[in-house]
Structure formats: structure tokens, C-alpha cells
Amino acid sequence: MSGNTTSYLVSLTHSSGVELNVHLLLEEKPTRQEQKLKTLSQYVQQYPSGWKKRLELANLLYTMGHWEPAVEQYREVIERQPQLINVWLKLGKLLQLMARQADAIEVYQNALPLLNNEATKKHIRGLIALCQGDTKKAIIAFETATHLEPDNTAYWLALGQLQMGRENAVGALRAFDVILSINPDDIVALIHSYDALIALGNVQEAQRRLNKLIVLAPDDCRVLQRQLDRRCAMRLVSSEEGKQTKKMISCALRQAPHGAEAYKSLAYYYIFRGDWEQGVRVLKEFTEEHPHNPRGWYYYGLCLFHRGDYQSAAEVIVKAYRLYPNDCEIYRALCEILPLTGMISSPLISPFFGGAGAPLTPPFLRGAGGDLQMGEGDKITLASIVEEMLERFPECWSVWATAGRVLVESFEEIERGCRVSFEGTQLQPLLPDAWFRHGRVLALAKKHPDAVKALEQGWQFLPENGGYLQSVPAAVWLGDSYWVLGAHGTSRHWWETACYGSGQLRAFNPVMADYWLGRALEGLGDALGAIQAYQSALSQQVLYPAYKEIQDALKKVKGD
């Protein structure tokens, strides 16, 4: 994982028909693949007893996304050279990516007796535990491997990636920082550490690492995507900056022509230029070309949601959910969108999936055994989504925070909602956002003394510099709760803190900086300042539901 490592996006179609995009890490950019495939295939047929060219063929098939034949070739290599532990690990990882957990476990277990290295044994036992869904056991095994061989970056990477999957940004960042202490130019660790720093709110350090990535790997599609996300948030879509953004989007599309993320960036590029119809059309056309891709439906649904078309957004996100119910982002989106449709307790049936007068479930939604994932007339409700989300993702703090808010706000289950939200802080007690989100739930439940305690607890864990992405809304919420409690002096302090923080936030997200500045100035009684801040936000293509909230706030401040 040196500075020369590059990322290559491959589209994988599972046996269920679902199309997923996977980033592969390669030492060099793939070129002339079809010619190489033909040459290697002919060589292997001519010399079937050899293994070196067969291994090259397996690696090439893996790179091209031809994973079933790649599995066969890796097995052939292992049969000839069983001592090649890296090939066992490649095969196991490939089977994991293909969601063939039982096959991966068998490969890993068969590799164990061949090992003399205790650290590698622990690492493989961690992989087995991961396939079995026992993440706690996997973490212990990975940590043991890192203690036995602290300079082996592969062990630290496995640990960090697992922690990120559990939304433990603190633990993940520790692992990635160890890798960077060994190799400061490790691109994979830099990318993952950037994501962890953003989750922790340390945007200044995150930006420093992104700047380094731009120098080391300017054309890496993962680096491009993170730049595009930042540039779109900053509304760099017009004039010379806009030309640069469009150029980067074109590069991302060339690098990953079948990836939904690049099309998402293109869609929001148009949206933030004011061309909503073209933006929505980009993602609609992507779903038409890739109807099996859940991320495409997910981004299309979010786009409709941000336009304020809540009903259509819900129906589209349901398509993503039915295709791939293993992504907690899809569940969280449903929890945000469904209450705004007014369909809290009533079932939602997407016309795409069946119901009266609707077409039958498409064939590509059939499971590996031919069973339908969703039959005609199948229904979901907000309540069923919440309960299923908690069951599927019990280790993700954001799931508990989201569920708690839905229970309080939509179902008025005050006590249970607060208890559920509190679980998020226990999963990640050092994460500011976990406490901020819990504090928000408590405030919605009108438990303002408890809300203040939770919000101030989260404030203690903010980075010394650069935590403004999370601290500005938290300061506004603190001001709101202290005002309700009658501590008007303290509430003014927090609103003034939010005003200062919004100035820092402007360098990362000017639209939300204006939104929160308006909220804080409104609390301070500065009506003219609040109006100016809100109008500034609206002029920058603010998205729903914030758009509606700002419009309502403007009417209130103006006295309309």
C-alpha cells in the first residue's frame, strides 16, 4: 500500500442480481486487459501444470470483475502451491466480497494448519470471526495480531476498516495513524483516516490529509470523489472554480464509468447551478441504465428528497432498500423521509414492486434460490424499518440515535426513544456527535436539563481546532435548551458561540454556515441579521428540508 497504489472500481453482480461497486487496490493502473486475458488464457491451456502464469490470470480476472473464474484459478494455484499463504488470503477475501461467507470460512480454516506465524494465524481467525458476524471476537484477534507484529500494516488496516464499519471513528483513526507512522504516504490509510477525521469533526486535519492525497494520487477515483463532495458542499460550481469542478467530475466518470458516486456528483453540480431538472435527470438515467444498483436508487431518492418531492423519494429509496437491505445509510434515509410523507403508521408500497395495478416484482429481485425478496403486496412501515434497522445494525451508534429520534418525534414514545438514543452514546462514548444527537433527542422530548448535560458532554470531546462541522448546531441547540430553562444569559453565550463557529464553518460549507448563523441570530433577537443570513442560504440552492425550515423561519422573523 505504497504511494503508488491505485484504486480501480469494479462492478460486481451478485447471484441475486444486485449490482455492487467495489474498489480494488492495484499496484498499477490496468491496461490492455482483454489482450492480456487472451494471452494468459492461451498460456494456461498450453501449460496446465504451471502456476505462476495461472496466478497472473487469476489476478487479472479479479481485476476485471470476473470473479467466478478468478475463484477457480486461485483454487488451481493453491492445489499446486499450497504454501502460498497470500493466495489463500486473496481467495478468502474474494469470497467475502462475493458474500460467500461459508466458502470464505472454509478457505481460511484450511489455511490455518499451513501456518507457523502466530500473528498471521490470529489475523485469519479474525477474518473467520468477521465472516461469522462476531465483530467483537474479530477485533480481539486483529488487535492481537497487531501486538505480535506491530509493523505489519495489513493487520492495522484490517482493524481500522472493521472499526470504521462499526462507526468507531476513534478506534479506526488510531489504527490508520499507526500505518501512517510506518509509511506516511500510504494512500489507503490516508483516505480512511480522512473519513475518520470528518466523522470526528476535525475538518482541518482532514483537509491537510486530503491535500496530501491530491499530491500523491490526484487521479485516484476515491480521492477525486472526496474532493468533489467538498467542492459541491462549498458550491464551487460556477466561473473558473466551476470549470475545475466539472473537469474533475469528467475525470471521475472516466475512472469509474459504472459507479453511482460520480453520477451523484454530476447531479449535484447541476443542482447547485440551479438546474434541478438536469440534476434529477442524471440520476434517473443512471438507474435506468443500472436498475440493479442500489446506490444508484439511493442517490436518486436523496436527490428527490432534497428537491422536496418526499413521496417520490420514499418510493425510490424503498427500491434501494429492497435491492440491498444491508446498508444502514438506506435505513437512515427512510427514517428521515417517511415521516415527511405523512405515512408514519400506514404501509408504503412502491409501484415498482407490486400492489394493485402495478407490475410484478422484476426477476432480478429473486434471491439466489429463486425465492422472491419481496412478494406482490408486500408492505413496509416506518415502525418496521426502525425495528429492523436496530436488529440489523446494533453496533452502529447512528442507528440508535436515528431510531431514538423517530420514536420520540413520530411515535411520541418518549421514554423508549430516549433510552434507545442513549445507547448510541454508550457505543461511542468519546464521539462528540453521538452525544450531540442524543442531546437533540432529549430536547425534542422536552427533557431540557438532560439535553443540556448531553450536549455539553459532547462538547468536551471536540478537537481543539476544526470541530465546527458538529459544534455549530450543538451550540445552537444548547442556546435553545438554556432559553427554555430560563437561563437567558447562558443561552446568549451559546448562540454567540454558534455565530463565531459559523464563520469558521463557512470555509467548509457556506450554506449550512448561513443557516445556523440565522438560527443563532434569531435567538439573539437580531432580526435583520437573521433575515440576511437566511436569504444568503436560500441564494445558494439550499436543499430540502432545510429550505422549508428557512422559509418558515423567514416568515416568522419578518412577522408575516
Side-chain angles (χ1 to χ4, degrees):
M1 294 180 297
S2 67
N4 294 325
T5 302
T6 187
S7 175
Y8 184 63
L9 193 73
V10 169
S11 292
L12 168 68
T13 300
H14 278 198
S15 58
S16 63
V18 176
E19 176 188 329
L20 300 178
N21 299 129
V22 180
H23 285 282
L24 306 182
L25 303 178
L26 308 175
E27 293 301 323
E28 60 183 19
K29 189 174 181 179
T31 57
R32 296 183 295 117
Q33 290 181 316
E34 292 297 337
Q35 180 60 42
K36 290 179 181 178
L37 178 61
K38 181 179 179 180
T39 301
L40 286 170
S41 298
Q42 289 175 345
Y43 186 92
V44 167
Q45 289 177 357
Q46 187 175 358
Y47 303 100
S49 61
W51 66 271
K52 290 184 179 180
K53 291 295 183 182
R54 190 179 293 276
L55 180 56
E56 287 185 36
L57 175 60
N59 290 336
L60 179 60
L61 289 166
Y62 168 69
T63 301
M64 296 177 70
H66 303 331
W67 286 4
E68 288 292 350
V71 167
E72 296 175 11
Q73 295 302 328
Y74 280 130
R75 290 191 187 279
E76 291 285 348
V77 172
I78 287 172
E79 185 176 335
R80 290 161 177 74
Q81 298 290 328
Q83 78 281 4
L84 297 176
I85 298 302
N86 283 339
V87 180
W88 286 94
L89 291 173
K90 279 187 177 180
L91 176 57
K93 181 62 176 178
L94 179 51
L95 291 167
Q96 280 184 264
L97 290 172
M98 297 170 71
R100 292 168 56 179
Q101 308 299 340
D103 291 338
I105 291 171
E106 182 181 4
V107 167
Y108 291 138
Q109 288 177 336
N110 289 337
L112 282 173
L114 304 173
L115 291 167
N116 294 319
N117 185 292
E118 191 59 34
T120 306
K121 285 184 178 180
K122 289 293 184 182
H123 178 70
I124 289 179
R125 289 195 177 101
L127 294 173
I128 292 172
L130 197 57
C131 291
Q132 294 169 335
D134 191 341
T135 54
K136 291 182 179 179
K137 186 177 179 180
I139 287 173
I140 293 171
F142 289 156
E143 287 180 340
T144 304
T146 63
H147 292 152
L148 291 170
E149 289 186 12
D151 291 334
N152 191 320
T153 58
Y155 300 156
W156 288 106
L157 179 61
L159 177 61
Q161 288 176 323
L162 176 54
Q163 295 287 26
M164 281 298 285
R166 300 173 70 239
E167 295 187 343
N168 182 2
V170 175
L173 185 60
R174 290 196 197 106
F176 299 136
D177 279 348
V178 171
I179 297 174
L180 293 172
S181 70
I182 298 169
N183 178 10
D185 293 341
D186 190 299
I187 292 173
V188 178
L190 281 167
I191 290 173
H192 286 312
S193 66
Y194 168 84
D195 294 339
L197 286 162
I198 290 295
L200 291 170
N202 195 341
V203 291
Q204 290 184 347
E205 177 60 20
Q207 185 61 50
R208 189 190 71 79
R209 298 195 187 190
L210 183 58
N211 290 340
K212 186 172 184 178
L213 281 164
I214 294 169
V215 173
L216 290 171
D219 294 329
D220 187 294
C221 59
R222 299 162 302 170
V223 178
L224 281 170
Q225 192 57 56
R226 283 156 180 78
Q227 289 183 80
L228 287 170
D229 290 344
R230 294 297 300 274
R231 294 181 72 85
C232 286
M234 295 169 67
R235 302 303 195 265
L236 300 178
V237 295
S238 58
S239 303
E240 289 303 315
E241 289 287 4
K243 292 178 182 178
Q244 179 64 22
T245 300
K246 187 61 161 53
K247 181 180 178 181
M248 292 170 63
I249 291 172
S250 298
C251 183
L253 289 169
R254 288 194 301 271
Q255 295 278 2
H258 304 296
E261 282 73 18
Y263 286 89
K264 174 202 70 175
S265 296
L266 179 61
Y268 281 93
Y269 167 81
Y270 286 120
I271 287 168
F272 294 143
R273 288 172 62 88
D275 192 346
W276 275 91
E277 293 304 317
Q278 178 65 12
V280 172
R281 189 180 304 118
V282 165
L283 290 170
K284 181 177 184 294
E285 290 177 353
F286 180 85
T287 61
E288 290 171 350
E289 294 175 8
H290 301 271
H292 308 180
N293 190 313
R295 295 304 286 185
W297 290 108
Y298 169 72
Y299 290 133
Y300 181 27
L302 283 187
C303 188
L304 292 168
F305 172 59
H306 290 148
R307 191 174 67 172
D309 190 351
Y310 299 144
Q311 183 63 38
S312 296
E315 292 174 355
V316 169
I317 292 286
V318 165
K319 297 175 184 180
Y321 163 76
R322 290 304 187 189
L323 274 171
Y324 193 67
N326 299 310
D327 187 338
C328 68
E329 288 185 46
I330 294 173
Y331 282 86
R332 292 201 304 265
L334 281 170
C335 287
E336 188 172 3
I337 295 169
L338 288 178
L340 296 175
T341 67
M343 303 183 70
I344 294 174
S345 57
S346 58
L348 175 69
I349 308 177
S350 170
F352 183 81
F353 290 98
L360 293 175
T361 308
F364 68 84
L365 290 176
R366 295 183 182 273
D371 295 328
L372 289 176
Q373 293 182 358
M374 179 181 183
E376 184 179 3
D378 223 358
K379 305 176 182 68
I380 66 167
T381 63
L382 179 59
S384 69
I385 286 294
V386 169
E387 299 302 333
E388 188 177 324
M389 179 175 67
L390 290 172
E391 183 178 351
R392 279 185 177 270
F393 311 103
E395 295 182 318
C396 295
W397 72 267
S398 68
V399 163
W400 293 90
T402 300
R405 177 166 182 166
V406 171
L407 289 169
V408 167
E409 206 168 23
S410 296
F411 296 106
E412 298 184 0
E413 294 187 27
I414 303 300
E415 297 306 322
R416 187 192 174 206
C418 293
R419 288 197 306 271
V420 166
S421 176
F422 178 70
E423 285 299 316
T425 68
Q426 301 310 287
L427 284 169
Q428 299 301 330
L430 302 179
L431 187 66
D433 213 23
W435 289 100
F436 293 158
R437 296 270 296 277
H438 177 52
R440 183 59 179 154
V441 171
L442 291 167
L444 290 169
K446 303 189 184 306
K447 294 177 177 284
H448 292 287
D450 294 333
V452 163
K453 291 179 182 178
L455 292 166
E456 290 183 339
Q457 182 71 25
W459 200 270
Q460 302 303 311
F461 299 123
L462 284 171
E464 293 183 5
N465 296 302
Y468 302 106
L469 288 181
Q470 300 165 343
S471 64
V472 175
V476 171
W477 296 334
L478 276 163
D480 293 346
S481 285
Y482 270 116
W483 185 268
V484 172
L485 293 171
H488 295 173
T490 306
S491 67
R492 290 188 65 85
H493 160 74
W494 282 111
W495 285 327
E496 288 167 355
T497 300
C499 289
Y500 172 78
S502 68
Q504 311 299 318
L505 176 59
R506 190 169 306 282
F508 303 98
N509 193 324
V511 178
M512 295 314 296
D514 283 332
Y515 170 75
W516 291 110
L517 176 62
R519 287 279 303 272
L521 291 173
E522 186 180 346
L524 290 168
D526 184 352
L528 180 60
I531 290 171
Q532 290 175 338
Y534 286 144
Q535 288 177 337
S536 177
L538 290 175
S539 71
Q540 301 174 76
Q541 299 298 327
V542 67
L543 305 175
Y544 277 87
Y547 180 83
K548 180 67 163 57
E549 293 172 9
I550 292 173
Q551 283 189 320
D552 292 344
L554 270 174
K555 291 178 181 178
K556 177 184 173 184
V557 175
K558 290 179 177 180
D560 294 346

